[in-house]
């Protein structure tokens, strides 16, 4: 189905970015929020995005004006009976989303695609608030939506193959890269990032390496920034919440280090409060090559934590794979569950979080057998966070060196 008219619900950070992307692709957009003030704020964000394209000379002023005029702000559902697509990007609260989808079900044409940009809520549950769950799909854009290329396309349990394929095709039209991910907590990118970011805190608590050394080690392997800089940028409260959620869903592999919640209790939330792992000018990221100043409150909290909650220590010297192996292992759990095709994992990690190589490529360079022996060693010293997936054991037992050797993988079969 050719999408000509769309609606976006929620004119906040994500909704305005998504509306810009749709309008740039020549799709008319109704941008809905709860008050005129929020609608206006969203529209001026979009205007700013177009202005910046003109300034960078990737678009002429008249083209920008024409595209911007394709977005109409609204506080009502008028016109929703004519849209081919809705992307919901309202608050991340299940009650809000259930109410919106029940309303959309009443108003939108029967053939419309109903998509949600939720970061973590259940697509299947949202779909169940409509009488057409087969037409509801997750389209998880990354922030900022107007520049980040990746969209995770997540079918709910009743979503039809046709709608999932239409969502993937739409991403291509929007000049995005779609990766299909079966519904699971954290979807793919967050599910893989959190075990890595969590492990970085355990490393810090061991006290043998500094934050900058950890950050530099992973940047040396092609990550755009280290875990501590990423915590500060994302917001420590948001990260603590997601990690606790993933721990509840997956259990011991996500056992959260206590540091994040201690930082939250002291309102040390990262860039937005001016202090997290590092000190910041409030709300402003430090330049890439600027030296980072460690937050003295963090040092105090770490000392307290080491006394109150001692952790087992690794016998070996720190290397970046200590924090990357949990990411790799989680990727294999996701593959073993049929959540994602191996070929899509590195695509997602490259376009969703800026890795130059991707986690499977990094593991293949070291060898799957080496990765397994390291995970076994860390598991015996540090516990369940490192329990290797049985899929990795199977790969090693079969002497597989790369996923490209395999004709058949769990996600390919499903
Ligand atoms: N910010 C991110 O990094 C990010 C990334 C991916 C996905 N998401 C998801 O996208 C969604 C929006 O996130 P955001 O960061 O843009 O939030 P935001 O707070 O910037 O914007 C949300 C907007 O939705 C509006 N809204 C609330 N209830 C509404 C309703 N019933 N009808 C219409 N509008 C309503 C609010 O007034 C607000 O303007 C959330 O589900 C979030 O989890 C966020």
């Amino acid at each position: 189905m050719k999408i000509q008219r769309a609606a976006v619900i929620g004119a906040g950070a994500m909704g305005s970015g998504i509306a810009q992307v749709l309008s740039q692709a020549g799709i008319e957009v109704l941008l809905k929020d709860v008050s005129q003030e929020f609608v206006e704020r969203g529209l001026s964000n979009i205007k700013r995005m177009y202005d910046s394209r003109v300034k960078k000379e990737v678009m002429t002023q008249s083209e920008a004006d024409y595209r911007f005029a394709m977005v109409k702000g609204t506080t009502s559902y008028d016109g929703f009976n004519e849209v081919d697509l809705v992307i919901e990007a309202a608050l991340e609260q299940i009650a809000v989303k259930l109410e919106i989808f029940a309303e959309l079900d009443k108003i939108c044409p029967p053939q419309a695609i109903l998509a949600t940009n939720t970061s973590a809520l259940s697509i299947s549950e949202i779909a169940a608030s409509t009488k057409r769950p087969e037409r509801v799909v997750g389209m998880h854009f990354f922030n900022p939506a107007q520049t980040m290329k990746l969209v995770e396309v997540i079918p709910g349990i009743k979503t039809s193959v046709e709608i999932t394929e239409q969502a993937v095709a739409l991403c291509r039209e929007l000049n995005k890269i779609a990766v299909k991910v079966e519904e699971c907590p954290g979807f793919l990118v967050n599910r893989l990032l959190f075990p890595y970011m969590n492990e970085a805190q355990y490393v810090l608590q061991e006290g043998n390496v500094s934050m900058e050394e950890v950050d530099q080690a992973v940047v040396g392997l092609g990550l755009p920034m280290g875990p501590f800089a990423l915590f500060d940028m994302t917001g420590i409260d948001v990260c603590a919440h997601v990690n606790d959620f993933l721990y509840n869903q997956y259990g011991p592999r996500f056992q959260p280090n206590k540091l994040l919640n201690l930082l939250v209790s002291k309102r040390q939330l990262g860039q937005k409060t001016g202090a997290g792992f590092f000190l910041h000018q409030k709300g402003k990221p430090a330049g890439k090559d600027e030296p980072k100043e460690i937050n003295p409150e963090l040092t105090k909290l770490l000392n307290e934590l080491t006394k109150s909650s001692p952790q087992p220590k690794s016998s070996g010297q720190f290397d970046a794979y200590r924090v990357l192996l949990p990411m790799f292992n989680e990727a294999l759990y996701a593959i073993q569950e049929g959540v994602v095709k191996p070929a899509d994992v590195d695509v997602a990690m490259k376009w969703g979080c800026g890795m130059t190589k991707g986690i499977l490529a990094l593991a293949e360079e070291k060898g799957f057998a080496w990765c397994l022996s390291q995970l076994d060693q860390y598991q015996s010293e540090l516990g369940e966070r490192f329990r290797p997936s049985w899929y990795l054991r199977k790969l090693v037992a079969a002497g597989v060196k790369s996923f490209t050797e395999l004709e058949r993988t769990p996600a390919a079969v499903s």
Side-chain angles (χ1 to χ4, degrees):
M1 180 175 64
K2 177 89 186 124
I3 308 287
Q4 288 176 321
R5 275 180 291 264
V8 173
I9 301 204
M14 295 304 291
S16 50
I18 294 168
Q20 191 278 332
V21 170
L22 290 165
S23 61
Q24 187 165 326
I27 298 170
E28 286 174 30
V29 186
L30 288 169
L31 178 62
K32 179 182 186 300
D33 209 301
V34 288
S35 75
Q36 193 56 33
E37 182 196 341
F38 293 151
V39 171
E40 296 297 336
R41 190 187 52 190
L43 288 172
S44 47
N45 278 341
I46 300 171
K47 174 89 175 59
R48 218 170 303 126
M49 292 168 206
Y50 275 116
D51 286 348
S52 120
R53 277 161 173 66
V54 173
K55 206 163 156 208
K56 287 185 192 145
E57 297 183 355
V58 290
M59 197 176 260
T60 63
Q61 185 66 55
S62 62
E63 193 184 352
D65 292 345
Y66 175 73
R67 300 284 174 206
F68 178 57
M70 297 183 96
V71 186
K72 303 265 182 297
T74 179
T75 54
S76 79
Y77 282 107
D78 290 353
F80 276 60
N81 57 340
E82 291 184 351
V83 297
D84 308 309
L85 162 78
V86 181
I87 302 181
E88 172 277 319
L91 293 185
E92 186 73 349
Q93 287 174 12
I94 191 69
V96 172
K97 298 207 192 279
L98 295 182
E99 199 182 314
I100 290 173
F101 275 79
E103 199 61 33
L104 291 175
D105 192 29
K106 286 186 214 146
I107 304 165
C108 297
Q111 76 281 5
I113 302 174
L114 305 182
T116 171
N117 182 47
T118 179
S119 315
L121 299 172
S122 164
I123 312 298
S124 302
E125 185 177 359
I126 293 169
S129 66
T130 72
K131 294 194 188 74
R132 43 174 133 172
E134 71 286 355
R135 303 197 75 80
V136 178
V137 66
M139 289 183 75
H140 183 219
F141 289 74
F142 286 70
N143 191 9
Q146 67 277 16
T147 47
M148 293 294 284
K149 282 272 188 191
L150 184 70
V151 180
E152 292 177 326
V153 172
I154 308 131
I157 203 160
K158 292 187 176 171
T159 310
S160 70
V161 172
E162 184 203 341
I163 289 294
T164 309
E165 281 170 3
Q166 283 184 18
V168 169
L170 169 68
C171 293
R172 270 188 225 116
E173 260 182 63
L174 300 178
N175 200 19
K176 298 286 184 194
I177 290 169
V179 163
K180 186 177 147 273
V181 179
E182 289 301 327
E183 186 181 340
C184 66
F187 308 140
L188 183 69
V189 170
N190 285 337
R191 177 174 172 179
L192 267 52
L193 271 180
F194 273 85
Y196 144 81
M197 290 167 76
N198 192 32
E199 196 53 35
Q201 297 167 73
Y202 284 102
V203 169
L204 195 62
Q205 202 187 328
E206 279 186 26
N208 297 327
V209 275
S210 69
M211 290 194 286
E212 293 241 87
E213 283 168 308
V214 177
D215 278 358
Q216 276 164 15
V218 299
V219 169
L221 287 175
L223 279 84
M225 68 177 79
F228 302 109
L230 185 56
F231 274 127
D232 278 3
M233 197 182 89
T234 311
I236 289 170
D237 49 344
V238 174
C239 292
H241 177 75
V242 175
N243 209 351
D244 290 347
F245 165 72
L246 293 173
Y247 173 56
N248 277 331
Q249 302 293 313
Y250 292 111
R253 292 201 305 279
F254 286 77
Q255 177 75 54
N257 185 283
K258 296 195 169 115
L259 189 55
L260 281 195
N261 278 317
L262 279 177
L263 284 163
V264 174
S265 69
K266 302 282 178 197
R267 293 280 310 154
Q268 310 287 298
L269 306 182
Q271 277 170 22
K272 60 186 165 189
T273 58
F277 284 90
F278 300 104
L279 292 179
H280 305 270
Q281 277 178 287
K282 210 165 166 180
K284 241 183 110 190
K288 207 169 176 215
D289 301 318
E290 276 176 47
K292 296 193 180 78
E293 211 181 317
I294 295 168
N295 178 4
E297 183 71 31
L298 169 88
T299 313
K300 226 171 82 192
L301 291 175
L302 257 178
N303 288 337
E304 282 168 25
L305 185 62
T306 309
K307 285 191 202 120
S308 65
S309 175
Q311 295 292 325
K313 292 189 177 196
S314 162
S315 59
Q317 282 209 326
F318 170 76
D319 95 73
Y321 282 86
R322 159 84 184 267
V323 290
L324 289 172
L325 281 167
M327 182 195 284
F328 168 62
N329 196 32
E330 200 54 39
L332 291 199
Y333 275 101
I335 293 170
Q336 129 185 343
E337 291 164 15
V339 159
V340 64
K341 284 194 278 185
D344 283 345
V345 171
D346 283 355
V347 173
M349 297 317 277
K350 281 181 195 174
W351 295 105
C353 44
M355 288 179 81
T356 49
K357 279 190 181 155
I359 192 62
L360 297 189
L362 285 173
E364 281 177 8
E365 275 178 14
K366 296 300 273 188
F368 292 157
W370 180 86
C371 294
L372 178 58
S373 73
Q374 293 291 296
L375 283 165
D376 279 336
Q377 170 79 16
Y378 284 132
Q379 188 196 354
S380 69
E381 289 181 348
L382 305 173
E384 286 302 296
R385 298 192 305 277
F386 288 91
R387 177 178 289 280
S389 73
W390 53 251
Y391 194 65
L392 178 58
R393 289 201 187 283
K394 208 158 72 165
L395 291 172
V396 172
V400 173
K401 303 269 182 286
S402 160
F403 282 100
T404 52
E405 290 171 37
L406 300 178
E407 273 184 31
R408 196 171 55 79
T409 60
V413 170
S414 70

